[in-house]
Amino acid sequence: MDPNTNKRHIIDAVFVICLLLLFLISALTVIAIGASIYKKNVAQTSENYAQRVSTAYVTEKIRQSDANGSIFTRELFGTNVLVLQQEIDGSLYNTYIYSYDGYLMELFARDDLDKFYPQTGQKILHINSFDVSMLSPHLVFVSLTSDEGVQDNVYISVRSTGN
């Protein structure tokens, strides 16, 4: 009988347990770091998405409505409102884009309506502020501020002009 074969020390078991614990701690640390990076990326992507969608929405609405004299601004609800006008079956209709109660809003109504309320519009996106002005008959300036306070200024060219 070999006397060395039956000798087992407690250090052998402790070493294996310590090695497994070290592997477990390393794995959990890598997972925690990855989750933190993922969380930051999702937050940043969400912020960029809201900002880009709001400016893209206004830009696309202006480009869709680009006809002679159909794009202008008007003082309404105590603020400048973007008005996109179109004729349907001989009647004029306006699409109003404005800011109300922390939202970018859109309201579609007949041109001859004098009284309507800003809360009747459709909520589009959550924003902090929206300002629009006609710098010239060919240029619309839009300033949007997101909930996070990021301001985005856009100059949109109007290809057609009024009569």
Side-chain angles (χ1 to χ4, degrees):
M1 247 174 106
D2 189 13
N4 291 333
T5 58
N6 288 336
K7 288 189 178 179
R8 292 195 180 207
H9 295 285
I10 191 78
I11 299 240
D12 294 338
V14 170
F15 177 74
V16 171
I17 291 173
C18 287
L19 196 58
L20 287 174
L21 285 176
L22 180 64
F23 175 74
L24 181 67
I25 290 171
S26 298
L28 290 176
T29 303
V30 168
I31 290 171
I33 290 171
S36 173
I37 291 171
Y38 179 76
K39 183 178 177 183
K40 287 178 186 176
N41 283 342
V42 167
Q44 187 175 10
T45 302
S46 175
E47 179 181 324
N48 287 340
Y49 171 78
Q51 191 69 26
R52 289 181 186 176
V53 166
S54 60
T55 56
Y57 175 80
V58 174
T59 302
E60 191 59 32
K61 288 300 266 187
I62 288 174
R63 289 183 180 152
Q64 285 176 352
S65 302
D66 196 358
N68 285 339
S70 66
I71 300 170
F72 53 94
T73 60
R74 179 184 290 171
E75 177 76 22
L76 198 61
F77 314 127
T79 185
N80 263 351
V81 172
L82 179 63
V83 182
L84 310 170
Q85 195 171 66
Q86 59 184 318
E87 184 177 340
I88 301 173
D89 294 332
S91 298
L92 288 177
Y93 290 88
N94 295 334
T95 300
Y96 301 99
I97 298 176
Y98 56 96
S99 174
Y100 178 74
D101 200 25
Y103 285 95
L104 182 65
M105 306 282 282
E106 179 180 323
L107 177 63
F108 184 76
R110 284 194 335 250
D111 184 50
D112 58 354
L113 286 178
D114 291 332
K115 294 185 180 181
F116 46 86
Y117 301 101
Q119 61 268 26
T120 58
Q122 177 73 33
K123 293 178 181 176
I124 304 300
L125 285 169
H126 217 296
I127 61 169
N128 198 4
S129 69
F130 172 76
D131 187 34
V132 62
S133 59
M134 294 290 293
L135 299 179
S136 75
H138 295 285
L139 193 62
V140 178
F141 173 72
V142 177
S143 177
L144 285 152
T145 306
S146 68
D147 284 339
E148 292 81 19
V150 178
Q151 185 174 7
D152 196 13
N153 298 325
V154 180
Y155 295 90
I156 306 165
S157 175
V158 177
R159 305 239 185 251
S160 56
T161 59
N163 297 331

